[in-house]
Amino acid sequence: MSEPRDLLQRKVDALEKLSSENDVWVATTSGTGEPCLVPLSFAWVDERIVLVTARRNRTARNIAATGAAHLVLGPTRDVVSLEGTAVILESGAIAEEDADRYCAQAGWDPRPVDSMVWIVFWPRRVQVWREVDELEERTVMEDGRWLV
């Protein structure tokens, strides 16, 4: 086990993961509490996450109903956990630059598929940890503001 990272290093590591990876687990719940967990491709765009899913998928329906999601990336011993708010956008409502950045990071272009919607997610709380020795001080963002 390595030495625990300080908060600044955890933020740097989290931003690196958000900028370089392209798959994330997305957890949502319906207005009545039905949970849903799915992997989706994503892009980190200007302090927010852009995702795409089919309009009829439960993830899209849950976000439309609650405006909330919980995203997690990384393996068990290198976690970036993000809680936040989200909105659903139809294809014509996403900024072209945001769509282009999604395509570049995610590795595919959903724009030709009519059944897809865009999800824009704003993190409100971000936690980063590797081992048990990093669990206690794992929060690097709270209320949408970086702590370091």
Side-chain angles (χ1 to χ4, degrees), residues 56-76:
R56 295 179 58 185
N57 282 356
R58 191 176 342 161
T59 299
R61 292 192 319 263
N62 287 352
I63 288 172
T66 67
H70 189 145
L71 283 55
V72 178
L73 63 146
T76 305

Side-chain angles (χ1 to χ4, degrees), residues 9-31:
Q9 187 59 54
R10 291 186 210 194
K11 176 186 175 185
V12 167
D13 292 348
L15 290 171
E16 172 59 31
K17 272 184 171 302
L18 288 164
S19 299
S20 64
E21 296 192 12
N22 57 12
D23 295 318
V24 64
W25 287 98
V26 180
T28 60
T29 186
S30 69

Side-chain angles (χ1 to χ4, degrees), residues 11-139:
K11 176 186 175 185
V12 167
D13 292 348
L15 290 171
E16 172 59 31
K17 272 184 171 302
L18 288 164
S19 299
S20 64
E21 296 192 12
N22 57 12
D23 295 318
V24 64
W25 287 98
V26 180
T28 60
T29 186
S30 69
T32 60
E34 256 183 87
C36 178
L37 177 67
V38 297
L40 293 176
S41 298
F42 80 96
W44 179 246
V45 179
D46 301 328
E47 298 287 313
R48 57 200 157 86
I49 292 176
V50 176
L51 309 111
V52 174
T53 193
R55 179 180 294 104
R56 295 179 58 185
N57 282 356
R58 191 176 342 161
T59 299
R61 292 192 319 263
N62 287 352
I63 288 172
T66 67
H70 189 145
L71 283 55
V72 178
L73 63 146
T76 305
R77 289 192 172 97
D78 195 5
V79 177
V80 177
S81 174
L82 308 101
E83 299 170 37
T85 59
V87 296
I88 302 293
L89 299 177
E90 293 295 329
S91 288
I94 190 85
E96 195 67 27
E97 178 183 310
D98 293 351
D100 290 343
R101 292 193 42 200
Y102 173 87
C103 296
Q105 187 170 338
W108 75 291
D109 188 349
R111 290 175 283 201
V113 184
D114 289 335
S115 61
M116 296 297 188
V117 291
W118 298 85
I119 300 168
V120 179
F121 171 88
W122 291 271
R124 303 290 301 147
R125 184 176 193 202
V126 177
Q127 296 183 318
V128 182
W129 71 91
R130 286 189 180 148
E131 299 284 344
V132 72
D133 60 356
E134 288 189 354
L135 287 177
E136 231 174 272
E137 294 182 9
R138 62 184 169 229
T139 303

